[in-house]
Amino acid sequence: MKITINSVVGLTYELKVSKEEENIESVPFSVEVRDQEDPFYFLFGNSGLPEKFESFLVGKSKGEPFNFIILANEAYGEADDELIMALPKSQFTAENGFEPEMFEEGNFLPLVDENGYPMQAKVLKDLGNEVLLDFNHPLVGFDLHFDGEVHEVREATAEELEHGHVHGEHGHQH
């Protein structure tokens, strides 16, 4: 089976990132490896990933290798200053699972948006009664270098299509 819209896709890969700053291209460095023990699964066409990512995979079959680069402007874009904000620490209580050490610079806070979807924010600075958070995607501003293989391709079930995500062993459990 080939990768098409509404198929369930499993990938193994190494993701490296690089960033061009002041006309100096950085050497790509590894940020994620998904291997045979932990492949990455998604519903093709409804992944929430950059469009360019899926365009490089369409038509591939199980066992086919892939190697491509998605430039920052076609991946997660550049940082948006409006997504950096100071919030009162009083919003992050122990009753909601927040501990003081979670507010150290560089940590990611696990949050939920107003619709109940998980999200995260990077702690930029502890300001005492407030914390400066960055809600930009962690890969914003980076070129993405993917090198991997198609691990599995199968038809999505009616339930997966209805819910918009993968179910079962490698997906969401209801």
Side-chain angles (χ1 to χ4, degrees):
M1 177 174 184
K2 293 190 180 300
I3 296 174
T4 60
I5 294 294
N6 294 332
S7 57
V8 171
V9 178
L11 305 175
T12 58
Y13 61 82
E14 180 177 16
L15 169 59
K16 295 181 178 181
V17 298
S18 64
K19 186 179 254 188
E20 187 176 322
E21 294 187 53
E22 297 181 30
N23 297 323
I24 299 171
E25 184 75 22
S26 66
V27 175
F29 61 93
S30 185
V31 294
E32 182 179 34
V33 174
R34 300 300 292 260
D35 59 17
Q36 299 286 341
E37 268 79 80
D38 185 30
F40 172 65
Y41 279 83
F42 64 98
L43 183 59
F44 194 84
N46 195 30
S47 66
L49 297 166
E51 216 174 282
K52 196 74 170 175
F53 178 83
E54 290 192 354
S55 75
F56 282 115
L57 297 171
V58 70
K60 291 199 177 297
S61 301
K62 180 179 179 173
E64 276 193 65
F66 58 85
N67 185 305
F68 54 84
I69 298 171
I70 304 174
L71 299 178
N73 64 338
E74 294 181 301
Y76 295 101
E78 297 301 325
D80 181 349
D81 290 342
E82 291 185 19
L83 295 177
I84 297 173
M85 54 192 75
L87 297 175
K89 272 193 187 170
S90 59
Q91 288 185 316
F92 307 99
T93 63
E95 294 82 37
N96 289 329
F98 293 99
E99 302 295 329
E101 61 273 5
M102 294 173 80
F103 297 100
E104 292 176 15
E105 272 183 43
N107 282 350
F108 284 89
L109 294 180
L111 304 171
V112 178
D113 71 11
E114 61 274 358
N115 297 315
Y117 293 106
M119 61 184 291
Q120 61 183 1
K122 183 177 183 178
V123 176
L124 297 179
K125 190 160 185 73
D126 185 336
L127 302 170
N129 291 330
E130 292 184 322
V131 62
L132 187 62
L133 299 176
D134 183 351
F135 287 90
N136 283 291
H137 190 282
L139 296 177
V140 73
F142 286 99
D143 295 338
L144 311 179
H145 306 249
F146 286 92
D147 185 13
E149 184 177 291
V150 179
H151 180 70
E152 182 180 350
V153 182
R154 67 170 174 79
E155 288 184 38
T157 66
E159 186 180 39
E160 288 171 324
L161 293 174
E162 182 183 332
H163 291 192
H165 55 252
V166 178
H167 287 178
E169 180 183 357
H170 301 289
H172 187 77
Q173 306 294 327
H174 287 281

